PDB file of all heavy atoms in Angstrom:
ATOM      1  N   SER A 220     185.343 103.929  72.925  1.00  0.00           N
ATOM      2  CA  SER A 220     184.959 102.822  73.855  1.00  0.00           C
ATOM      3  C   SER A 220     185.012 103.311  75.258  1.00  0.00           C
ATOM      4  O   SER A 220     185.874 104.103  75.701  1.00  0.00           O
ATOM      5  CB  SER A 220     185.901 101.639  73.677  1.00  0.00           C
ATOM      6  OG  SER A 220     185.832 101.085  72.376  1.00  0.00           O
ATOM      7  N   THR A 221     183.989 102.876  76.063  1.00  0.00           N
ATOM      8  CA  THR A 221     183.866 103.306  77.422  1.00  0.00           C
ATOM      9  C   THR A 221     183.909 102.147  78.401  1.00  0.00           C
ATOM     10  O   THR A 221     183.665 101.005  78.076  1.00  0.00           O
ATOM     11  CB  THR A 221     182.580 104.071  77.626  1.00  0.00           C
ATOM     12  OG1 THR A 221     181.446 103.210  77.284  1.00  0.00           O
ATOM     13  CG2 THR A 221     182.502 105.293  76.732  1.00  0.00           C
ATOM     14  N   ARG A 222     184.219 102.463  79.655  1.00  0.00           N
ATOM     15  CA  ARG A 222     184.251 101.527  80.736  1.00  0.00           C
ATOM     16  C   ARG A 222     183.790 102.251  81.985  1.00  0.00           C
ATOM     17  O   ARG A 222     184.177 103.394  82.237  1.00  0.00           O
ATOM     18  CB  ARG A 222     185.706 100.984  80.848  1.00  0.00           C
ATOM     19  CG  ARG A 222     185.810  99.936  81.969  1.00  0.00           C
ATOM     20  CD  ARG A 222     185.347  98.524  81.453  1.00  0.00           C
ATOM     21  NE  ARG A 222     185.651  97.505  82.431  1.00  0.00           N
ATOM     22  CZ  ARG A 222     186.794  96.819  82.495  1.00  0.00           C
ATOM     23  NH1 ARG A 222     187.723  97.015  81.545  1.00  0.00           N
ATOM     24  NH2 ARG A 222     186.962  95.893  83.392  1.00  0.00           N
ATOM     25  N   TYR A 223     182.964 101.565  82.787  1.00  0.00           N
ATOM     26  CA  TYR A 223     182.410 102.181  83.987  1.00  0.00           C
ATOM     27  C   TYR A 223     182.585 101.306  85.199  1.00  0.00           C
ATOM     28  O   TYR A 223     182.558 100.072  85.103  1.00  0.00           O
ATOM     29  CB  TYR A 223     180.901 102.456  83.791  1.00  0.00           C
ATOM     30  CG  TYR A 223     180.621 103.447  82.705  1.00  0.00           C
ATOM     31  CD1 TYR A 223     180.308 103.009  81.380  1.00  0.00           C
ATOM     32  CD2 TYR A 223     180.609 104.832  82.949  1.00  0.00           C
ATOM     33  CE1 TYR A 223     180.024 103.904  80.375  1.00  0.00           C
ATOM     34  CE2 TYR A 223     180.265 105.742  81.945  1.00  0.00           C
ATOM     35  CZ  TYR A 223     179.990 105.239  80.680  1.00  0.00           C
ATOM     36  OH  TYR A 223     179.686 106.163  79.683  1.00  0.00           O
ATOM     37  N   ALA A 224     182.653 101.945  86.341  1.00  0.00           N
ATOM     38  CA  ALA A 224     182.601 101.228  87.624  1.00  0.00           C
ATOM     39  C   ALA A 224     181.202 100.804  87.805  1.00  0.00           C
ATOM     40  O   ALA A 224     180.245 101.468  87.401  1.00  0.00           O
ATOM     41  CB  ALA A 224     183.105 102.131  88.740  1.00  0.00           C
ATOM     42  N   ASP A 225     180.996  99.666  88.458  1.00  0.00           N
ATOM     43  CA  ASP A 225     179.709  99.177  88.692  1.00  0.00           C
ATOM     44  C   ASP A 225     178.786 100.135  89.499  1.00  0.00           C
ATOM     45  O   ASP A 225     177.609 100.235  89.281  1.00  0.00           O
ATOM     46  CB  ASP A 225     179.692  97.802  89.469  1.00  0.00           C
ATOM     47  CG  ASP A 225     180.216  96.717  88.590  1.00  0.00           C
ATOM     48  OD1 ASP A 225     180.179  96.839  87.332  1.00  0.00           O
ATOM     49  OD2 ASP A 225     180.659  95.673  89.191  1.00  0.00           O
ATOM     50  N   SER A 226     179.436 100.904  90.350  1.00  0.00           N
ATOM     51  CA  SER A 226     178.698 101.805  91.221  1.00  0.00           C
ATOM     52  C   SER A 226     178.024 102.951  90.471  1.00  0.00           C
ATOM     53  O   SER A 226     177.112 103.556  90.992  1.00  0.00           O
ATOM     54  CB  SER A 226     179.615 102.379  92.297  1.00  0.00           C
ATOM     55  OG  SER A 226     180.706 103.113  91.757  1.00  0.00           O
ATOM     56  N   VAL A 227     178.484 103.247  89.235  1.00  0.00           N
ATOM     57  CA  VAL A 227     177.948 104.363  88.547  1.00  0.00           C
ATOM     58  C   VAL A 227     177.279 103.972  87.204  1.00  0.00           C
ATOM     59  O   VAL A 227     176.715 104.782  86.508  1.00  0.00           O
ATOM     60  CB  VAL A 227     179.040 105.439  88.201  1.00  0.00           C
ATOM     61  CG1 VAL A 227     179.685 105.904  89.496  1.00  0.00           C
ATOM     62  CG2 VAL A 227     180.054 104.883  87.255  1.00  0.00           C
ATOM     63  N   LYS A 228     177.395 102.697  86.894  1.00  0.00           N
ATOM     64  CA  LYS A 228     176.868 102.191  85.624  1.00  0.00           C
ATOM     65  C   LYS A 228     175.298 102.462  85.539  1.00  0.00           C
ATOM     66  O   LYS A 228     174.628 102.177  86.477  1.00  0.00           O
ATOM     67  CB  LYS A 228     177.162 100.683  85.517  1.00  0.00           C
ATOM     68  CG  LYS A 228     177.035 100.162  84.119  1.00  0.00           C
ATOM     69  CD  LYS A 228     177.659  98.746  84.043  1.00  0.00           C
ATOM     70  CE  LYS A 228     179.096  98.655  84.476  1.00  0.00           C
ATOM     71  NZ  LYS A 228     179.655  97.304  84.398  1.00  0.00           N
ATOM     72  N   GLY A 229     174.921 103.045  84.450  1.00  0.00           N
ATOM     73  CA  GLY A 229     173.562 103.364  84.274  1.00  0.00           C
ATOM     74  C   GLY A 229     173.174 104.753  84.714  1.00  0.00           C
ATOM     75  O   GLY A 229     172.130 105.259  84.379  1.00  0.00           O
ATOM     76  N   ARG A 230     174.077 105.367  85.504  1.00  0.00           N
ATOM     77  CA  ARG A 230     173.779 106.738  85.975  1.00  0.00           C
ATOM     78  C   ARG A 230     174.740 107.730  85.401  1.00  0.00           C
ATOM     79  O   ARG A 230     174.328 108.891  85.141  1.00  0.00           O
ATOM     80  CB  ARG A 230     173.902 106.756  87.507  1.00  0.00           C
ATOM     81  CG  ARG A 230     172.931 105.877  88.211  1.00  0.00           C
ATOM     82  CD  ARG A 230     172.971 106.110  89.743  1.00  0.00           C
ATOM     83  NE  ARG A 230     174.283 105.835  90.296  1.00  0.00           N
ATOM     84  CZ  ARG A 230     175.047 106.709  90.945  1.00  0.00           C
ATOM     85  NH1 ARG A 230     174.581 107.976  91.126  1.00  0.00           N
ATOM     86  NH2 ARG A 230     176.175 106.403  91.491  1.00  0.00           N
ATOM     87  N   PHE A 231     175.960 107.364  85.177  1.00  0.00           N
ATOM     88  CA  PHE A 231     177.012 108.273  84.672  1.00  0.00           C
ATOM     89  C   PHE A 231     177.274 107.908  83.184  1.00  0.00           C
ATOM     90  O   PHE A 231     177.187 106.757  82.802  1.00  0.00           O
ATOM     91  CB  PHE A 231     178.297 108.140  85.429  1.00  0.00           C
ATOM     92  CG  PHE A 231     178.242 108.701  86.855  1.00  0.00           C
ATOM     93  CD1 PHE A 231     177.050 109.073  87.453  1.00  0.00           C
ATOM     94  CD2 PHE A 231     179.408 108.810  87.553  1.00  0.00           C
ATOM     95  CE1 PHE A 231     176.995 109.574  88.699  1.00  0.00           C
ATOM     96  CE2 PHE A 231     179.361 109.346  88.823  1.00  0.00           C
ATOM     97  CZ  PHE A 231     178.149 109.692  89.449  1.00  0.00           C
ATOM     98  N   ALA A 232     177.682 108.895  82.434  1.00  0.00           N
ATOM     99  CA  ALA A 232     178.086 108.690  81.077  1.00  0.00           C
ATOM    100  C   ALA A 232     179.306 109.493  80.730  1.00  0.00           C
ATOM    101  O   ALA A 232     179.292 110.691  80.946  1.00  0.00           O
ATOM    102  CB  ALA A 232     176.978 109.033  80.088  1.00  0.00           C
ATOM    103  N   ILE A 233     180.322 108.868  80.246  1.00  0.00           N
ATOM    104  CA  ILE A 233     181.573 109.563  79.824  1.00  0.00           C
ATOM    105  C   ILE A 233     181.594 109.735  78.363  1.00  0.00           C
ATOM    106  O   ILE A 233     181.115 108.863  77.641  1.00  0.00           O
ATOM    107  CB  ILE A 233     182.841 108.788  80.331  1.00  0.00           C
ATOM    108  CG1 ILE A 233     184.078 109.626  80.117  1.00  0.00           C
ATOM    109  CG2 ILE A 233     182.919 107.435  79.627  1.00  0.00           C
ATOM    110  CD1 ILE A 233     185.327 109.057  80.779  1.00  0.00           C
ATOM    111  N   SER A 234     182.100 110.844  77.897  1.00  0.00           N
ATOM    112  CA  SER A 234     182.169 111.116  76.457  1.00  0.00           C
ATOM    113  C   SER A 234     183.397 111.981  76.198  1.00  0.00           C
ATOM    114  O   SER A 234     183.940 112.590  77.097  1.00  0.00           O
ATOM    115  CB  SER A 234     180.909 111.751  75.952  1.00  0.00           C
ATOM    116  OG  SER A 234     180.683 113.015  76.548  1.00  0.00           O
ATOM    117  N   ARG A 235     183.791 112.055  74.958  1.00  0.00           N
ATOM    118  CA  ARG A 235     184.929 112.872  74.627  1.00  0.00           C
ATOM    119  C   ARG A 235     184.637 113.654  73.348  1.00  0.00           C
ATOM    120  O   ARG A 235     183.891 113.210  72.437  1.00  0.00           O
ATOM    121  CB  ARG A 235     186.241 112.072  74.474  1.00  0.00           C
ATOM    122  CG  ARG A 235     186.519 111.557  73.108  1.00  0.00           C
ATOM    123  CD  ARG A 235     185.691 110.329  72.689  1.00  0.00           C
ATOM    124  NE  ARG A 235     186.212 109.657  71.540  1.00  0.00           N
ATOM    125  CZ  ARG A 235     185.521 109.303  70.476  1.00  0.00           C
ATOM    126  NH1 ARG A 235     184.192 109.532  70.451  1.00  0.00           N
ATOM    127  NH2 ARG A 235     186.087 108.679  69.465  1.00  0.00           N
ATOM    128  N   ASP A 236     185.212 114.819  73.176  1.00  0.00           N
ATOM    129  CA  ASP A 236     185.133 115.650  72.043  1.00  0.00           C
ATOM    130  C   ASP A 236     186.603 115.857  71.527  1.00  0.00           C
ATOM    131  O   ASP A 236     187.389 116.535  72.172  1.00  0.00           O
ATOM    132  CB  ASP A 236     184.534 117.013  72.339  1.00  0.00           C
ATOM    133  CG  ASP A 236     184.313 117.851  71.123  1.00  0.00           C
ATOM    134  OD1 ASP A 236     185.142 117.766  70.181  1.00  0.00           O
ATOM    135  OD2 ASP A 236     183.339 118.597  71.115  1.00  0.00           O
ATOM    136  N   ASN A 237     186.938 115.125  70.430  1.00  0.00           N
ATOM    137  CA  ASN A 237     188.257 115.111  69.988  1.00  0.00           C
ATOM    138  C   ASN A 237     188.747 116.452  69.416  1.00  0.00           C
ATOM    139  O   ASN A 237     189.934 116.813  69.424  1.00  0.00           O
ATOM    140  CB  ASN A 237     188.541 114.003  68.943  1.00  0.00           C
ATOM    141  CG  ASN A 237     188.454 112.647  69.583  1.00  0.00           C
ATOM    142  OD1 ASN A 237     187.441 112.245  70.199  1.00  0.00           O
ATOM    143  ND2 ASN A 237     189.504 111.864  69.323  1.00  0.00           N
ATOM    144  N   VAL A 238     187.769 117.237  68.912  1.00  0.00           N
ATOM    145  CA  VAL A 238     188.100 118.528  68.378  1.00  0.00           C
ATOM    146  C   VAL A 238     188.452 119.501  69.485  1.00  0.00           C
ATOM    147  O   VAL A 238     189.353 120.287  69.428  1.00  0.00           O
ATOM    148  CB  VAL A 238     186.918 119.110  67.549  1.00  0.00           C
ATOM    149  CG1 VAL A 238     187.239 120.517  67.033  1.00  0.00           C
ATOM    150  CG2 VAL A 238     186.659 118.158  66.305  1.00  0.00           C
ATOM    151  N   LYS A 239     187.569 119.505  70.534  1.00  0.00           N
ATOM    152  CA  LYS A 239     187.805 120.368  71.679  1.00  0.00           C
ATOM    153  C   LYS A 239     188.830 119.783  72.658  1.00  0.00           C
ATOM    154  O   LYS A 239     189.243 120.439  73.595  1.00  0.00           O
ATOM    155  CB  LYS A 239     186.521 120.652  72.392  1.00  0.00           C
ATOM    156  CG  LYS A 239     185.503 121.456  71.558  1.00  0.00           C
ATOM    157  CD  LYS A 239     184.242 121.654  72.400  1.00  0.00           C
ATOM    158  CE  LYS A 239     183.260 122.481  71.614  1.00  0.00           C
ATOM    159  NZ  LYS A 239     181.989 122.726  72.395  1.00  0.00           N
ATOM    160  N   THR A 240     189.246 118.568  72.440  1.00  0.00           N
ATOM    161  CA  THR A 240     190.111 117.793  73.340  1.00  0.00           C
ATOM    162  C   THR A 240     189.623 117.944  74.743  1.00  0.00           C
ATOM    163  O   THR A 240     190.395 118.289  75.662  1.00  0.00           O
ATOM    164  CB  THR A 240     191.595 118.298  73.229  1.00  0.00           C
ATOM    165  OG1 THR A 240     191.751 119.676  73.591  1.00  0.00           O
ATOM    166  CG2 THR A 240     192.123 118.078  71.816  1.00  0.00           C
ATOM    167  N   THR A 241     188.355 117.597  74.911  1.00  0.00           N
ATOM    168  CA  THR A 241     187.728 117.658  76.233  1.00  0.00           C
ATOM    169  C   THR A 241     186.922 116.376  76.465  1.00  0.00           C
ATOM    170  O   THR A 241     186.320 115.871  75.531  1.00  0.00           O
ATOM    171  CB  THR A 241     186.765 118.881  76.256  1.00  0.00           C
ATOM    172  OG1 THR A 241     187.526 120.076  76.084  1.00  0.00           O
ATOM    173  CG2 THR A 241     186.054 118.951  77.619  1.00  0.00           C
ATOM    174  N   VAL A 242     186.974 115.931  77.663  1.00  0.00           N
ATOM    175  CA  VAL A 242     186.220 114.750  78.100  1.00  0.00           C
ATOM    176  C   VAL A 242     185.195 115.213  79.089  1.00  0.00           C
ATOM    177  O   VAL A 242     185.427 116.157  79.915  1.00  0.00           O
ATOM    178  CB  VAL A 242     187.167 113.668  78.653  1.00  0.00           C
ATOM    179  CG1 VAL A 242     187.818 114.123  79.916  1.00  0.00           C
ATOM    180  CG2 VAL A 242     186.334 112.388  78.885  1.00  0.00           C
ATOM    181  N   TYR A 243     184.025 114.597  79.060  1.00  0.00           N
ATOM    182  CA  TYR A 243     182.910 115.009  79.943  1.00  0.00           C
ATOM    183  C   TYR A 243     182.441 113.784  80.760  1.00  0.00           C
ATOM    184  O   TYR A 243     182.651 112.628  80.376  1.00  0.00           O
ATOM    185  CB  TYR A 243     181.717 115.442  79.109  1.00  0.00           C
ATOM    186  CG  TYR A 243     182.048 116.594  78.187  1.00  0.00           C
ATOM    187  CD1 TYR A 243     182.369 116.345  76.834  1.00  0.00           C
ATOM    188  CD2 TYR A 243     182.048 117.911  78.599  1.00  0.00           C
ATOM    189  CE1 TYR A 243     182.705 117.339  75.973  1.00  0.00           C
ATOM    190  CE2 TYR A 243     182.365 118.962  77.759  1.00  0.00           C
ATOM    191  CZ  TYR A 243     182.692 118.652  76.439  1.00  0.00           C
ATOM    192  OH  TYR A 243     182.949 119.657  75.560  1.00  0.00           O
ATOM    193  N   LEU A 244     181.911 114.111  81.905  1.00  0.00           N
ATOM    194  CA  LEU A 244     181.255 113.085  82.735  1.00  0.00           C
ATOM    195  C   LEU A 244     179.895 113.588  83.118  1.00  0.00           C
ATOM    196  O   LEU A 244     179.738 114.506  83.927  1.00  0.00           O
ATOM    197  CB  LEU A 244     182.058 112.815  83.984  1.00  0.00           C
ATOM    198  CG  LEU A 244     181.497 111.689  84.866  1.00  0.00           C
ATOM    199  CD1 LEU A 244     181.638 110.342  84.138  1.00  0.00           C
ATOM    200  CD2 LEU A 244     182.247 111.611  86.184  1.00  0.00           C
ATOM    201  N   GLN A 245     178.867 113.061  82.427  1.00  0.00           N
ATOM    202  CA  GLN A 245     177.498 113.384  82.785  1.00  0.00           C
ATOM    203  C   GLN A 245     177.048 112.535  83.905  1.00  0.00           C
ATOM    204  O   GLN A 245     177.026 111.291  83.806  1.00  0.00           O
ATOM    205  CB  GLN A 245     176.590 113.187  81.568  1.00  0.00           C
ATOM    206  CG  GLN A 245     175.107 113.502  81.797  1.00  0.00           C
ATOM    207  CD  GLN A 245     174.853 114.957  82.110  1.00  0.00           C
ATOM    208  OE1 GLN A 245     175.362 115.810  81.395  1.00  0.00           O
ATOM    209  NE2 GLN A 245     174.096 115.206  83.136  1.00  0.00           N
ATOM    210  N   MET A 246     176.699 113.151  85.015  1.00  0.00           N
ATOM    211  CA  MET A 246     176.273 112.433  86.214  1.00  0.00           C
ATOM    212  C   MET A 246     174.788 112.688  86.478  1.00  0.00           C
ATOM    213  O   MET A 246     174.359 113.809  86.717  1.00  0.00           O
ATOM    214  CB  MET A 246     177.108 112.840  87.414  1.00  0.00           C
ATOM    215  CG  MET A 246     178.575 112.728  87.203  1.00  0.00           C
ATOM    216  SD  MET A 246     179.567 113.118  88.649  1.00  0.00           S
ATOM    217  CE  MET A 246     179.215 114.905  88.796  1.00  0.00           C
TER     218      MET A 246
END
């Protein structure tokens, strides 16, 4: 589940890889 600030909604995307234990922010 994700949550975004209004200022970045539609432009940024957060995701996570549980195997790599890494989170990403695509801007």
Side-chain angles (χ1 to χ4, degrees):
S220 297
T221 59
R222 183 79 173 269
Y223 297 93
D225 289 341
S226 60
V227 305
K228 201 169 298 182
R230 299 188 298 121
F231 291 9
I233 189 171
S234 61
R235 91 284 193 229
D236 186 326
N237 292 55
V238 176
K239 295 181 178 180
T240 61
T241 299
V242 64
Y243 306 95
L244 185 67
Q245 178 65 48
M246 305 184 293

